[in-house]
Amino acid sequence: MAGPDPASRGRGGQRFILLGLILASVYSLFPVWWLIVAATKDQVGLYQSNGLWFSGMHLWDNLHQLFTYEDGIFLRWTANSFLYAGVGSLGGTFIALATGYGLARFDFPGRGVVFAAVVGSFLIPIALLTLPLYLMFSKIGLVDTPWAMLIPCLINPFSVYLAKVYTEATIPFELLEAARIDGAGELRIFFSIVLRMMTTGGATVFLLAFVNTWNAFFLPLTVLRGEENWTLNLGLYNWTGKRAESGIDVTSLVLTGALLSIVPLAIMMTAMRRYWRTGVTLGALK
């Protein structure tokens, strides 16, 4: 008696995988849909209508109130988040690429110990490092300054690990030796050859660092005091503890601000997609 058709079993497996992907997509997009719907409602619709469907279009009114509430402090928080996530992640990416390249392609005494320390350090939760950072910054007068956020962003052990792994996979020793034979110095090799070949890895490191810094909460909560230095997450969290003032529904402002806070991340993911596509193509050609 003939068994089941292999083609039928294959189609059944594909349907099962497709169903799983659909369920995972719905689960992931459900909070975003709820946030979009909630940001379009006024105070009455927010509390008295169906949470999963629209009840009037008040998005523009909510945006106007958001940008004008407390003298437009939301825009200041947005600028702060871009400063910390953008500058910090860019500098951290450069340091990570240089460090990863050094660990991967230079032989020096104690390299294994240094790499072990890097791996061990990114296994430590950031919450355990926040208090020591606060005490250190407090002694040198950096608490409640942008440097209290930027300096920790410049050092990311996990980014160093990713850069080392990517260097080992993409930068051959033969290429470096050929450049040295041609008379190129180490700095020229790094800036002219290594960085260009590590564009895809650098984009990945930058994006991960940007998202991590943009979503950071515990560190800014500890080291930032004045509202003018807060991040978006910290500012919106502070608004959740307020009630409506002067006819403005603070809950609506928080939801609208939360919706806007994910827009830069979506743009970043879309803009850097071509780097990942390039990396996949290069891997296929190899």
Side-chain angles (χ1 to χ4, degrees):
M1 185 175 182
D5 185 8
S8 300
R9 290 200 304 266
R11 287 192 294 269
Q14 292 177 358
R15 294 192 187 97
F16 180 78
I17 295 175
L18 180 60
L19 178 61
L21 292 175
I22 292 174
L23 293 177
S25 300
V26 172
Y27 176 80
S28 302
L29 295 176
F30 180 82
V32 179
W33 171 256
W34 177 85
L35 186 61
I36 293 174
V37 171
T40 63
K41 297 181 179 181
D42 58 2
Q43 182 176 359
V44 176
L46 185 62
Y47 294 107
Q48 298 183 8
S49 64
N50 186 349
L52 298 179
W53 198 246
F54 301 95
S55 176
M57 180 56 64
H58 302 277
L59 178 61
W60 302 117
D61 295 334
N62 293 338
L63 290 175
H64 175 74
Q65 294 176 357
L66 178 67
F67 294 146
T68 58
Y69 186 60
E70 293 186 349
D71 297 325
I73 191 66
F74 178 84
L75 297 176
R76 178 62 182 268
W77 295 339
T78 303
N80 290 339
S81 293
F82 274 111
L83 172 65
Y84 304 147
V87 176
S89 300
L90 187 63
T93 299
F94 177 78
I95 294 175
L97 293 179
T99 307
Y101 167 67
L103 288 173
R105 289 295 178 256
F106 288 92
D107 190 11
F108 55 89
R111 184 178 68 169
V113 176
V114 173
F115 181 67
V118 170
V119 174
S121 59
F122 75 69
L123 297 177
I124 301 176
I126 186 61
L128 295 181
L129 301 177
T130 301
L131 182 57
L133 285 173
Y134 172 79
L135 295 176
M136 181 179 65
F137 290 152
S138 179
K139 288 184 178 180
I140 60 180
L142 294 182
V143 171
D144 200 28
T145 67
W147 290 109
M149 283 293 298
L150 290 174
I151 292 177
C153 295
L154 295 176
I155 309 299
N156 191 329
F158 184 67
S159 297
V160 174
Y161 173 77
L162 290 180
K164 178 182 181 299
V165 172
Y166 192 82
T167 300
E168 293 174 341
T170 59
I171 309 296
F173 282 106
E174 295 79 8
L175 177 64
L176 302 178
E177 290 300 326
R180 295 186 181 108
I181 292 174
D182 289 340
E186 296 299 335
L187 288 178
R188 183 178 180 183
I189 292 174
F190 177 72
F191 285 101
S192 300
I193 299 176
V194 175
L195 284 184
R196 293 185 180 183
M197 296 184 65
M198 296 180 66
T199 302
T200 302
T204 302
V205 170
F206 174 79
L207 181 60
L208 292 177
F210 186 93
V211 173
N212 183 61
T213 305
W214 186 272
N215 293 329
F217 176 76
F218 194 56
L219 179 62
L221 178 65
T222 305
V223 300
L224 300 178
R225 298 175 181 174
E227 291 188 5
E228 66 278 2
N229 292 323
W230 285 356
T231 62
L232 270 178
N233 289 339
L234 188 56
L236 294 177
Y237 170 77
N238 179 68
W239 277 358
T240 59
K242 293 184 178 182
R243 297 184 177 181
E245 300 175 2
S246 303
I248 297 178
D249 182 15
V250 180
T251 303
S252 296
L253 299 186
V254 172
L255 294 174
T256 306
L259 177 62
L260 292 183
S261 69
I262 67 176
V263 173
L265 300 182
I267 295 175
M268 190 71 65
M269 293 285 290
T270 304
M272 290 193 165
R273 182 178 56 185
R274 66 187 183 93
Y275 291 103
W276 301 334
R277 184 180 303 167
T278 301
V280 172
T281 304
L282 289 176
L285 292 177
K286 291 179 181 180

